Amino acid sequence: MKVLRSEIDSEATKERMLREARILAKLDHSNIVPVYDLGTLGEERVYYTMKFLEGKTLAEYTLENTELLDLLRVFIRVCNAVAHAHSKGVLHRDIKPENIMLLPYGEVMVVDWGIAKAGVESSDEANQNDFKFSSSSFTTSSTTIESTLLGTPSYCAPEIWKSVPDSGTFPPKYTISSDIYSIGATLYYTLTGRPPLVANSFGELQRLSAGHSPPPPRTLQQEIPRPIEAICLKALSASTQHRYTNAEHIARDLQLYLDGYEISAYKENMLERLVRWTKRNAFIVLLLFVYVLVRILLFFFSLL
Amino acid sequence: MSKPLIGILLGAVLGILDGLTSLMYPEVAPEIMGILIGSSIKGMLAGIIIGFVARKVSNLTTMIVVGLAVGFFFAFIVAYLNSMAGQTYWLEILLPGSLVGAILGYATQKYGSKPKGKVQTT
């Protein structure tokens, strides 16, 4: 049961909590926690009830589990949950490793829909109310900035950063593409253990984001497969036109990779194609090898 | 593509390739056309049987064993007929023939579509 504490019972927090409950009620997906009930207690304190989640965040899980295939399987479910939300016109707007929960029996849940927004094509007025930007509120790369910029700085898309109040493009317009960027940034963290852009201050992060050059994941972890790096970098593309258009497409590419097929984000050379085919068809390659070996051995025996 | 069709096509190709390996033995070179025809027919027969079994079975290990058995069976017939004609190539025919069957078992299990189930109406 989630109840608003009386000391933070402002209209804004009440609205945020109500919005989270209403949005969750719209979403029916196995990787999104369902809301059971919504109402008010005495003194108009808002509450809602939902499934109690006990587990680890993806950030914690990544520290303990470095098995890439496991992490990718988790990530596919995250993408599917976000794709479902997008299909219902809901933007999460704060996708990050801390907002993904892994439960003891392998369930994956995308949580914290408190700043999510229903109606992807929302009016500018609604955006204006949502985004009151304050550079002094920067805390850490993993902390959501309350009541100011919505989202977490290190996981925010560059186009959101460009929408600071003095840039003339305020308020920022969150889109499916900005959620896709956050998915890419989260995948980056999952692969490398750090967000794509790391800075010591809000201003530095803003400058870095303007240049937007996260180091390719393989420069930090050489064992990351090139196709996975390509998926990550495509989702993190500075240009929204070069990003995936749908979270489902990221999930599909990840699943294709896991199944040993070519992905859309990476053009492989002949050798890579051959290696991938051999891995996918390892047993038939082994049988053919045994066949050739048997033939050669029989031939040499016949010479004796 | 259906599993029996995959079995027939792959069986023919593998049969021809298997037959061509007999060129490693110069003494049988004059009979190469007969060997190729016989070998491809043997591959196609094994392929269609294995393909039909693969439509019913959904287990890779089972299909490899079935493939081995069917491949061995046809190879045995060929080897037996050869021995009747005075040629003794038992191992040279049985071992590769069985392996070709195993490859067919694997391929028909992994690739090709099963027939769609019929909808029963009452």
Side-chain angles (χ1 to χ4, degrees):
Chain A
M1 186 172 183
K2 204 168 178 179
V3 184
L4 205 58
R5 292 208 310 264
S6 52
E7 60 268 28
I8 57 163
D9 189 4
S10 67
E11 275 306 312
T13 47
K14 194 184 286 183
E15 178 52 38
R16 176 176 165 164
M17 198 166 154
L18 279 169
R19 182 166 55 189
E20 178 173 23
R22 287 187 192 122
I23 283 173
L24 284 173
K26 282 181 74 173
L27 304 175
D28 180 17
H29 192 273
S30 57
N31 300 117
I32 298 172
V33 64
V35 166
Y36 299 134
D37 190 24
L38 167 69
T40 51
L41 298 169
E43 301 165 9
E44 292 294 304
R45 285 171 67 194
V46 177
Y47 79 90
Y48 68 83
T49 55
M50 58 199 277
K51 183 180 176 179
F52 179 66
L53 300 180
E54 205 171 17
K56 292 172 185 163
T57 65
L58 181 61
E60 292 164 341
Y61 184 77
T62 304
L63 292 175
E64 295 166 13
N65 191 333
T66 53
E67 181 56 51
L68 179 70
L69 300 184
D70 281 350
L71 294 170
L72 295 182
R73 284 187 199 105
V74 167
F75 216 79
I76 286 170
R77 288 191 265 175
V78 172
C79 291
N80 287 334
V82 176
H84 171 76
H86 288 169
S87 74
K88 298 286 176 187
V90 173
L91 298 174
H92 187 284
R93 300 198 294 189
D94 195 17
I95 299 162
K96 58 180 177 179
E98 289 78 8
N99 283 345
I100 293 157
M101 293 284 295
L102 285 97
L103 311 188
Y105 295 104
E107 295 158 278
V108 178
M109 292 286 177
V110 179
V111 299
D112 200 355
W113 296 78
I115 61 167
K117 190 175 186 66
V120 174
E121 295 300 319
S122 54
S123 69
D124 285 345
E125 189 184 352
N127 275 316
Q128 186 78 53
N129 292 335
D130 284 342
F131 300 102
K132 292 171 184 166
F133 196 92
S134 166
S135 60
S136 62
S137 61
F138 183 85
T139 47
T140 70
S141 62
S142 63
T143 308
T144 307
I145 301 173
E146 296 280 352
S147 305
T148 54
L149 169 70
L150 296 182
T152 304
S154 293
Y155 298 90
C156 266
E159 64 270 18
I160 302 300
W161 282 102
K162 284 176 190 162
S163 304
V164 291
D166 54 359
S167 70
T169 56
F170 190 77
K173 187 151 174 74
Y174 272 82
T175 59
I176 286 175
S177 194
S178 52
D179 262 2
I180 297 288
Y181 180 92
S182 300
I183 290 175
T186 306
L187 178 60
Y188 191 101
Y189 181 95
T190 308
L191 297 172
T192 65
R194 48 156 274 189
L197 299 174
V198 179
N200 294 317
S201 69
F202 194 85
E204 190 186 347
L205 194 55
Q206 199 177 341
R207 273 195 305 280
L208 279 175
S209 186
H212 191 74
S213 53
R218 278 173 56 84
T219 59
L220 302 169
Q221 296 278 345
Q222 275 210 322
E223 60 271 25
I224 296 168
R226 286 180 200 279
I228 297 300
E229 180 184 62
I231 292 170
C232 184
L233 291 176
K234 185 173 178 182
L236 279 174
S237 176
S239 159
T240 54
Q241 289 180 337
H242 293 134
R243 269 179 225 159
Y244 286 97
T245 52
N246 191 320
E248 216 175 337
H249 295 167
I250 304 179
R252 190 189 303 155
D253 260 358
L254 290 171
Q255 191 61 57
L256 284 171
Y257 173 79
L258 288 176
D259 293 343
Y261 292 96
E262 189 173 12
I263 63 161
S264 71
Y266 183 69
K267 288 276 166 270
E268 53 191 12
N269 60 39
M270 282 299 288
L271 183 66
E272 287 171 321
R273 192 169 295 196
L274 182 69
V275 169
R276 181 174 52 75
W277 187 90
T278 306
K279 275 184 188 170
R280 186 155 56 88
N281 298 286
F283 194 78
I284 209 158
V285 171
L286 178 74
L287 282 175
L288 288 169
F289 176 76
V290 170
Y291 176 87
V292 172
L293 192 68
V294 163
R295 273 289 180 207
I296 291 170
L297 286 174
L298 286 171
F299 175 70
F300 279 110
F301 278 125
S302 72
L303 295 178
L304 295 176
Chain B
M1 197 183 291
S2 71
K3 288 177 185 290
L5 188 57
I6 285 182
I8 292 170
L9 294 177
L10 192 62
V13 172
L14 290 178
I16 289 168
L17 292 175
D18 192 33
L20 282 172
T21 57
S22 62
L23 289 174
M24 293 165 90
Y25 309 94
E27 65 272 20
V28 296
E31 302 161 38
I32 189 67
M33 272 315 289
I35 290 172
L36 284 180
I37 292 167
S39 189
S40 58
I41 290 171
K42 173 172 77 88
M44 285 159 73
L45 282 173
I48 194 167
I49 292 170
I50 294 166
F52 271 112
V53 177
R55 279 166 47 141
K56 304 281 179 193
V57 176
S58 293
N59 184 296
L60 190 60
T61 313
T62 307
M63 275 317 300
I64 290 168
V65 173
V66 167
L68 264 173
V70 174
F72 180 88
F73 172 74
F74 282 102
F76 181 84
I77 292 172
V78 174
Y80 180 74
L81 291 174
N82 267 317
S83 70
M84 297 281 281
Q87 293 175 317
T88 50
Y89 294 107
W90 284 97
L91 271 182
E92 287 85 345
I93 295 171
L94 282 179
L95 275 178
S98 305
L99 281 169
V100 166
I103 293 169
L104 285 171
Y106 178 87
T108 51
Q109 182 60 234
K110 200 160 185 199
Y111 307 105
S113 53
K114 286 189 172 183
K116 288 174 185 166
K118 288 177 186 168
V119 177
Q120 285 191 343
T121 51
T122 53

